[in-house]
Amino acid sequence: MLPAESIPNKIQLALLIFGTATVISLMIVALTWKDEITSDRTPMGIDAFNSTLGFQRVYAAIEANNLAQSARIAAIAGLLDIELHFINSTTQVEAEALKQKYGFQAPVSEIAELDTHRKIYADMEANNVQSAAIIGRLVDVEMDLKSRLSQAFVDTGLQIPDIMFIGRAYSDKAEPGATEILEILDATKDAQDASHRQQRLLAKKQFAQRHTRAFRPRYPRGISSAYAINLRTARRLNRRGLRRMQMDGHDLDFILADMAMVGISLAYAVSPPPIVSLKEKQYLSSSVLQALSMREDDPAEYVPFVDWKETW
């Protein structure tokens, strides 16, 4: 039998052991819970100056036998020190075969684009890629892409974006400074006097040289050429892409915009867009392809957005 005076000490020791074990258990549960809720919410933009632009991976979709296309995107990556993960894009022939095999209702061109991006989403899930930038095969890039992305990540603050639109062919009403300059351009469109022409020129110059910002877009368009997503969004896009191919619905651009607009994804857009599609003659202040002598035209002579061609 234990001495009477040792019983309180034994009780205290037991309580100490129990308390320590409880704390450790709660810490393990908390860490597990944290991992579960953040497993596909890894913050974008840890370091935009690294070889993956602040994401875990950078994907580039290319046509398997298009050597010129591969050389162009590889040259951009080489100059800017970007590590690319290549995915072969779905050809029109392959898309037609998918349409016939599964009875897809979407146009062949949209099936090809959606299936290409679904390959990327599937690769993200298979390899647990928490965040990735996706770059189209026909793009040009600003020379200071990394610096611009770094500033954009600062603007998102403590919020963790589900989607970030890096490339964009059209303006957005929420874009910083866009509404003001369009009002000036519209008001001076047919002006003949020198003062109005000077005002117009100054406004265009200031807008073209505006500082990079990240903003919450209202209606993003022309965005499928370059965007970044987290793993949770990749899973959603994979499901939605399949449903869109099964019906005569909307293209990838609409699906991405829809994800941002209906409120199920936190979306940001970079202004001005540091990546543009070569399909559109769109403004760049310092083109990588031009610096590499891989394009003869000068993007600095073009309008910032496709929908500004009439007023610019």
Side-chain angles (χ1 to χ4, degrees), residues 219-246:
Y219 181 32
R221 296 177 296 153
I223 47 182
S224 58
S225 61
Y227 62 99
I229 55 175
N230 60 17
L231 181 55
R232 179 176 68 177
T233 305
R235 292 180 178 128
R236 287 175 174 169
L237 287 169
N238 200 8
R239 295 192 299 268
R240 288 187 170 219
L242 178 60
R243 290 200 296 268
R244 292 299 185 184
M245 289 192 291
Q246 292 170 340

Tab-separated table of all heavy atoms in Angstrom, residues 219-246:
chain	number	residue	atom	x	y	z
A	219	TYR	N	-16.078	40.390	-65.779
A	219	TYR	CA	-16.409	39.515	-66.901
A	219	TYR	C	-15.145	39.268	-67.721
A	219	TYR	O	-14.912	39.922	-68.731
A	219	TYR	CB	-17.509	40.133	-67.770
A	219	TYR	CG	-17.928	39.254	-68.940
A	219	TYR	CD1	-17.902	37.863	-68.838
A	219	TYR	CD2	-18.353	39.820	-70.129
A	219	TYR	CE1	-18.286	37.067	-69.893
A	219	TYR	CE2	-18.747	39.023	-71.200
A	219	TYR	CZ	-18.704	37.645	-71.081
A	219	TYR	OH	-19.068	36.847	-72.135
A	220	PRO	N	-14.304	38.341	-67.294
A	220	PRO	CA	-13.051	38.082	-68.008
A	220	PRO	C	-13.307	37.379	-69.343
A	220	PRO	O	-14.080	36.423	-69.413
A	220	PRO	CB	-12.278	37.176	-67.041
A	220	PRO	CG	-13.341	36.502	-66.227
A	220	PRO	CD	-14.462	37.492	-66.100
A	221	ARG	N	-12.642	37.853	-70.400
A	221	ARG	CA	-12.789	37.252	-71.732
A	221	ARG	C	-11.423	37.142	-72.389
A	221	ARG	O	-10.515	37.906	-72.099
A	221	ARG	CB	-13.711	38.110	-72.608
A	221	ARG	CG	-15.146	38.214	-72.120
A	221	ARG	CD	-15.941	39.143	-73.024
A	221	ARG	NE	-15.422	40.508	-72.970
A	221	ARG	CZ	-15.543	41.386	-73.970
A	221	ARG	NH1	-16.128	41.038	-75.091
A	221	ARG	NH2	-15.056	42.604	-73.843
A	222	GLY	N	-11.304	36.210	-73.307
A	222	GLY	CA	-10.028	36.006	-73.989
A	222	GLY	C	-8.942	35.573	-73.022
A	222	GLY	O	-7.827	36.081	-73.061
A	223	ILE	N	-9.255	34.599	-72.161
A	223	ILE	CA	-8.401	34.298	-71.012
A	223	ILE	C	-7.757	32.916	-71.052
A	223	ILE	O	-6.952	32.590	-70.183
A	223	ILE	CB	-9.232	34.403	-69.708
A	223	ILE	CG1	-10.554	33.653	-69.880
A	223	ILE	CG2	-9.471	35.859	-69.348
A	223	ILE	CD1	-11.489	33.709	-68.689
A	224	SER	N	-8.097	32.097	-72.060
A	224	SER	CA	-7.610	30.718	-72.057
A	224	SER	C	-6.179	30.578	-72.560
A	224	SER	O	-5.604	29.503	-72.488
A	224	SER	CB	-8.535	29.829	-72.902
A	224	SER	OG	-8.626	30.310	-74.233
A	225	SER	N	-5.570	31.669	-73.047
A	225	SER	CA	-4.197	31.584	-73.562
A	225	SER	C	-3.172	31.461	-72.443
A	225	SER	O	-2.092	30.893	-72.645
A	225	SER	CB	-3.876	32.806	-74.425
A	225	SER	OG	-3.969	33.995	-73.666
A	226	ALA	N	-3.485	31.976	-71.256
A	226	ALA	CA	-2.560	31.874	-70.120
A	226	ALA	C	-3.314	32.132	-68.823
A	226	ALA	O	-3.857	33.224	-68.623
A	226	ALA	CB	-1.411	32.863	-70.264
A	227	TYR	N	-3.345	31.140	-67.956
A	227	TYR	CA	-4.015	31.276	-66.669
A	227	TYR	C	-3.376	30.323	-65.664
A	227	TYR	O	-2.640	29.403	-66.041
A	227	TYR	CB	-5.521	31.005	-66.793
A	227	TYR	CG	-5.885	29.609	-67.243
A	227	TYR	CD1	-6.262	28.620	-66.336
A	227	TYR	CD2	-5.877	29.264	-68.594
A	227	TYR	CE1	-6.606	27.340	-66.743
A	227	TYR	CE2	-6.224	27.986	-69.014
A	227	TYR	CZ	-6.582	27.025	-68.096
A	227	TYR	OH	-6.926	25.757	-68.510
A	228	ALA	N	-3.631	30.570	-64.397
A	228	ALA	CA	-3.094	29.720	-63.338
A	228	ALA	C	-4.238	29.263	-62.445
A	228	ALA	O	-5.198	30.006	-62.221
A	228	ALA	CB	-2.055	30.475	-62.514
A	229	ILE	N	-4.139	28.032	-61.937
A	229	ILE	CA	-5.187	27.463	-61.096
A	229	ILE	C	-4.572	26.646	-59.973
A	229	ILE	O	-3.416	26.230	-60.051
A	229	ILE	CB	-6.146	26.559	-61.908
A	229	ILE	CG1	-5.345	25.470	-62.649
A	229	ILE	CG2	-6.985	27.367	-62.868
A	229	ILE	CD1	-6.211	24.464	-63.371
A	230	ASN	N	-5.365	26.414	-58.928
A	230	ASN	CA	-4.948	25.472	-57.900
A	230	ASN	C	-5.566	24.107	-58.181
A	230	ASN	O	-6.347	23.941	-59.128
A	230	ASN	CB	-5.284	25.978	-56.497
A	230	ASN	CG	-6.771	26.206	-56.295
A	230	ASN	OD1	-7.614	25.726	-57.056
A	230	ASN	ND2	-7.114	26.944	-55.250
A	231	LEU	N	-5.230	23.128	-57.362
A	231	LEU	CA	-5.655	21.756	-57.628
A	231	LEU	C	-7.167	21.595	-57.520
A	231	LEU	O	-7.781	20.877	-58.309
A	231	LEU	CB	-4.947	20.799	-56.666
A	231	LEU	CG	-5.250	19.304	-56.823
A	231	LEU	CD1	-4.983	18.832	-58.243
A	231	LEU	CD2	-4.424	18.491	-55.822
A	232	ARG	N	-7.760	22.261	-56.553
A	232	ARG	CA	-9.216	22.167	-56.409
A	232	ARG	C	-9.922	22.650	-57.669
A	232	ARG	O	-10.882	22.017	-58.143
A	232	ARG	CB	-9.676	22.990	-55.202
A	232	ARG	CG	-11.191	22.964	-55.000
A	232	ARG	CD	-11.617	23.691	-53.745
A	232	ARG	NE	-11.407	25.117	-53.832
A	232	ARG	CZ	-11.766	25.966	-52.861
A	232	ARG	NH1	-12.280	25.490	-51.732
A	232	ARG	NH2	-11.573	27.252	-52.987
A	233	THR	N	-9.450	23.747	-58.227
A	233	THR	CA	-10.051	24.278	-59.441
A	233	THR	C	-9.800	23.362	-60.626
A	233	THR	O	-10.664	23.218	-61.497
A	233	THR	CB	-9.487	25.683	-59.726
A	233	THR	OG1	-9.691	26.517	-58.584
A	233	THR	CG2	-10.176	26.314	-60.921
A	234	ALA	N	-8.631	22.729	-60.667
A	234	ALA	CA	-8.338	21.781	-61.748
A	234	ALA	C	-9.349	20.640	-61.741
A	234	ALA	O	-9.828	20.206	-62.799
A	234	ALA	CB	-6.919	21.242	-61.599
A	235	ARG	N	-9.684	20.142	-60.552
A	235	ARG	CA	-10.668	19.059	-60.455
A	235	ARG	C	-12.038	19.516	-60.961
A	235	ARG	O	-12.736	18.790	-61.674
A	235	ARG	CB	-10.775	18.590	-59.006
A	235	ARG	CG	-9.515	17.882	-58.490
A	235	ARG	CD	-9.705	17.440	-57.055
A	235	ARG	NE	-8.544	16.725	-56.541
A	235	ARG	CZ	-7.915	17.021	-55.409
A	235	ARG	NH1	-8.338	18.030	-54.668
A	235	ARG	NH2	-6.870	16.318	-55.010
A	236	ARG	N	-12.426	20.728	-60.600
A	236	ARG	CA	-13.715	21.254	-61.049
A	236	ARG	C	-13.733	21.439	-62.566
A	236	ARG	O	-14.709	21.094	-63.244
A	236	ARG	CB	-14.001	22.593	-60.366
A	236	ARG	CG	-14.379	22.476	-58.907
A	236	ARG	CD	-14.529	23.849	-58.281
A	236	ARG	NE	-15.034	23.758	-56.921
A	236	ARG	CZ	-15.068	24.773	-56.073
A	236	ARG	NH1	-14.619	25.965	-56.459
A	236	ARG	NH2	-15.540	24.625	-54.853
A	237	LEU	N	-12.663	22.004	-63.104
A	237	LEU	CA	-12.583	22.237	-64.542
A	237	LEU	C	-12.582	20.934	-65.320
A	237	LEU	O	-13.133	20.853	-66.423
A	237	LEU	CB	-11.334	23.056	-64.868
A	237	LEU	CG	-11.376	24.533	-64.480
A	237	LEU	CD1	-9.991	25.159	-64.622
A	237	LEU	CD2	-12.393	25.282	-65.344
A	238	ASN	N	-11.965	19.909	-64.755
A	238	ASN	CA	-11.945	18.606	-65.415
A	238	ASN	C	-13.361	18.060	-65.561
A	238	ASN	O	-13.756	17.558	-66.619
A	238	ASN	CB	-11.074	17.642	-64.612
A	238	ASN	CG	-10.611	16.464	-65.437
A	238	ASN	OD1	-10.801	16.423	-66.653
A	238	ASN	ND2	-9.982	15.503	-64.799
A	239	ARG	N	-14.143	18.172	-64.496
A	239	ARG	CA	-15.530	17.701	-64.547
A	239	ARG	C	-16.371	18.541	-65.500
A	239	ARG	O	-17.146	18.014	-66.304
A	239	ARG	CB	-16.153	17.725	-63.139
A	239	ARG	CG	-15.518	16.757	-62.148
A	239	ARG	CD	-16.371	16.641	-60.888
A	239	ARG	NE	-16.506	17.909	-60.185
A	239	ARG	CZ	-15.692	18.312	-59.212
A	239	ARG	NH1	-14.666	17.569	-58.847
A	239	ARG	NH2	-15.904	19.461	-58.599
A	240	ARG	N	-16.201	19.849	-65.417
A	240	ARG	CA	-17.010	20.740	-66.257
A	240	ARG	C	-16.638	20.598	-67.732
A	240	ARG	O	-17.491	20.699	-68.614
A	240	ARG	CB	-16.829	22.184	-65.802
A	240	ARG	CG	-17.507	22.475	-64.482
A	240	ARG	CD	-17.482	23.946	-64.120
A	240	ARG	NE	-18.344	24.190	-62.976
A	240	ARG	CZ	-19.129	25.254	-62.839
A	240	ARG	NH1	-19.145	26.166	-63.793
A	240	ARG	NH2	-19.871	25.414	-61.774
A	241	GLY	N	-15.353	20.390	-67.999
A	241	GLY	CA	-14.918	20.222	-69.377
A	241	GLY	C	-15.558	19.020	-70.027
A	241	GLY	O	-15.978	19.071	-71.199
A	242	LEU	N	-15.654	17.935	-69.292
A	242	LEU	CA	-16.287	16.728	-69.821
A	242	LEU	C	-17.764	16.977	-70.103
A	242	LEU	O	-18.283	16.576	-71.160
A	242	LEU	CB	-16.125	15.571	-68.833
A	242	LEU	CG	-16.784	14.253	-69.237
A	242	LEU	CD1	-16.222	13.744	-70.555
A	242	LEU	CD2	-16.614	13.206	-68.128
A	243	ARG	N	-18.446	17.650	-69.177
A	243	ARG	CA	-19.870	17.932	-69.396
A	243	ARG	C	-20.073	18.823	-70.608
A	243	ARG	O	-21.048	18.647	-71.355
A	243	ARG	CB	-20.473	18.587	-68.144
A	243	ARG	CG	-20.607	17.649	-66.959
A	243	ARG	CD	-21.617	18.173	-65.945
A	243	ARG	NE	-21.193	19.437	-65.355
A	243	ARG	CZ	-20.486	19.538	-64.235
A	243	ARG	NH1	-20.089	18.450	-63.600
A	243	ARG	NH2	-20.165	20.714	-63.750
A	244	ARG	N	-19.166	19.785	-70.814
A	244	ARG	CA	-19.297	20.688	-71.964
A	244	ARG	C	-19.100	19.952	-73.280
A	244	ARG	O	-19.734	20.275	-74.281
A	244	ARG	CB	-18.279	21.832	-71.852
A	244	ARG	CG	-18.541	22.794	-70.715
A	244	ARG	CD	-19.889	23.499	-70.857
A	244	ARG	NE	-20.071	24.490	-69.819
A	244	ARG	CZ	-21.168	25.209	-69.630
A	244	ARG	NH1	-22.200	25.031	-70.420
A	244	ARG	NH2	-21.257	26.099	-68.662
A	245	MET	N	-18.219	18.957	-73.312
A	245	MET	CA	-18.013	18.187	-74.534
A	245	MET	C	-19.226	17.317	-74.840
A	245	MET	O	-19.506	17.013	-75.998
A	245	MET	CB	-16.756	17.317	-74.414
A	245	MET	CG	-15.465	18.108	-74.454
A	245	MET	SD	-13.992	17.080	-74.667
A	245	MET	CE	-13.930	16.224	-73.098
A	246	GLN	N	-19.953	16.925	-73.811
A	246	GLN	CA	-21.114	16.067	-74.001
A	246	GLN	C	-22.316	16.817	-74.553
A	246	GLN	O	-23.281	16.205	-75.014
A	246	GLN	CB	-21.489	15.406	-72.668
A	246	GLN	CG	-20.467	14.393	-72.179
A	246	GLN	CD	-20.726	13.935	-70.758
A	246	GLN	OE1	-21.419	14.606	-70.000
A	246	GLN	NE2	-20.147	12.792	-70.382
